[in-house]
Amino acid sequence: MNIALFGYGKMGKMIEQIALKRNHTIVAKVDVDTTEINYSEIDVAIDFSMPNAAYGNIKNCLEHNIPVISGTTGWLQDYQNAVDLCKEKNGAFIYASNFSLGVNLFFELNSYLAKMMAPLKQYNVSMEEIHHTQKLDAPSGTAITLAEGVINETDYTNWKLDEAGEQEIPITAKRIADTPGTHTVSYDSEVDGIEIKHTAHNREGFALGAVIAAEWIVGKSGVFTMKDVLNLS
Ligand SMILES: NC(=O)C1=CN([C@@H]2O[C@H](COP(=O)(O)OP(=O)(O)OC[C@H]3O[C@@H](n4cnc5c(N)ncnc54)[C@H](OP(=O)(O)O)[C@@H]3O)[C@@H](O)[C@H]2O)C=CC1
Ligand SMILES: O=C(O)C1=N[C@H](C(=O)O)C[C@H](O)C1
């Protein structure tokens, strides 16, 4: 497959390594200074850029009928526009806050635990995410997906960074050098606590998941999630 990388930073470079190992060709490495893109040679685009750049990249690809995989976080105010454009163009698009297999299993575990905890009002839920110090957005996209998973199963209505009101899930975001991504979901009562935690040891899992999603989407049309790619429940 001919892959175009939108964003050639930490993730773009890791995706390139994995894509080459899986016999794909990188036909474009697009950054903010790129002036010309030959869309006719691209089979699929993978966007790991920046919050203020992601939607523009996705829009350009969909307008040129290129399937797009986006892992960029912090741009979700435009997510519905991307969905609408994809449908209008009969294109193909996946956004995932986290492409790793482990985190996608963790999302399922989070929903299952939330369902069990829903009637147990003596427990309060909270979340913590830890990432490297270059991260631009907080809370992480993964933490937001985890919070949405809890909200879907319980009486919680919203999430909030740091201090939260009643019915809101408090999320703490910590920035520590060289941390690829750690997420913890905690339920605490006066007498005990339950925690589930996912720790990324490096960025390979994110990158492999994005390449697998790119391989999966070519030839399809629609708006998909990693649940579709991984065939989870
Ligand atoms: N969904 C997932 O599984 C994961 C998501 N992420 C997310 O992916 C994104 C990228 O992460 P990461 O690689 O670590 O970040 P980096 O900062 O290392 O890389 C981002 C790259 O995007 C480039 N860029 C800036 N503007 C544009 C533009 N208009 N078009 C294309 N590229 C542009 C930057 O170039 P320059 O430096 O020159 O400005 C930089 O090279 C983040 O939003 C992060 O949260 C990260 C890991 C996993
Ligand atoms: O910026 C990162 O590095 C990561 N971002 C994603 C997020 O915001 O959840 C995924 C992963 O945790 C790494």
Side-chain angles (χ1 to χ4, degrees):
M1 262 174 9
N2 284 351
I3 299 176
L5 298 175
F6 285 74
Y8 190 60
K10 292 182 283 301
M11 280 302 297
K13 292 186 175 93
M14 180 61 73
I15 289 168
E16 177 181 41
Q17 279 181 33
I18 290 184
L20 293 177
K21 273 192 207 150
R22 292 171 76 92
N23 295 321
H24 301 304
T25 306
I26 305 299
V27 289
K29 295 169 190 171
V30 178
D31 70 15
V32 70
D33 300 322
T34 305
T35 49
E36 245 185 73
I37 301 169
N38 182 2
Y39 286 97
S40 66
E41 63 180 358
I42 303 172
D43 294 320
V44 62
I46 304 183
D47 170 81
F48 280 75
S49 57
M50 289 192 164
N52 62 2
Y55 180 61
N57 291 335
I58 293 163
K59 189 166 175 277
N60 285 339
C61 291
L62 290 174
E63 280 171 348
H64 287 89
N65 296 314
I66 308 295
V68 197
I69 305 300
S70 179
T72 308
T73 52
W75 65 277
L76 286 189
Q77 68 283 359
D78 283 320
Y79 178 75
Q80 193 54 48
N81 292 331
V83 168
D84 293 345
L85 182 63
C86 181
K87 287 182 181 160
E88 183 194 318
K89 298 285 177 190
N90 199 26
F93 171 58
I94 295 180
Y95 160 76
S97 61
N98 201 305
F99 278 92
S100 79
L101 172 63
V103 162
N104 281 277
L105 296 173
F106 189 65
F107 287 152
E108 298 297 305
L109 181 63
N110 175 57
S111 296
Y112 182 75
L113 180 59
K115 203 178 206 155
M116 277 205 297
M117 299 306 282
L120 305 176
K121 305 298 179 203
Q122 65 272 41
Y123 288 91
N124 292 315
V125 71
S126 63
M127 295 183 183
E128 180 188 84
E129 56 99 336
I130 311 175
H131 284 85
H132 53 93
T133 49
Q134 294 94 49
K135 187 158 177 62
L136 296 179
D137 52 320
S140 67
T142 305
I144 293 172
T145 307
L146 288 165
E148 286 167 349
V150 172
I151 288 165
N152 284 341
E153 301 293 347
T154 64
D155 293 339
Y156 286 95
T157 55
N158 213 340
W159 57 263
K160 203 142 177 242
L161 201 53
D162 301 322
E163 291 293 301
E166 253 191 55
Q167 313 294 100
E168 288 180 331
I169 301 168
I171 305 179
T172 306
K174 293 186 179 164
R175 297 292 171 257
I176 299 176
D178 302 327
T179 308
T182 303
H183 292 88
T184 308
V185 181
S186 306
Y187 290 83
D188 267 298
S189 75
E190 285 197 356
V191 298
D192 61 4
I194 300 173
E195 275 186 12
I196 55 171
K197 178 175 178 180
H198 178 273
T199 307
H201 298 315
N202 54 52
R203 292 185 174 80
E204 263 185 64
F206 311 139
L208 175 61
V211 174
I212 288 172
E215 291 166 352
W216 181 90
I217 206 171
V218 169
K220 295 187 173 65
S221 58
V223 177
F224 303 103
T225 68
M226 275 308 271
K227 260 185 138 158
D228 301 310
V229 176
L230 298 172
N231 215 3
L232 295 172
S233 63

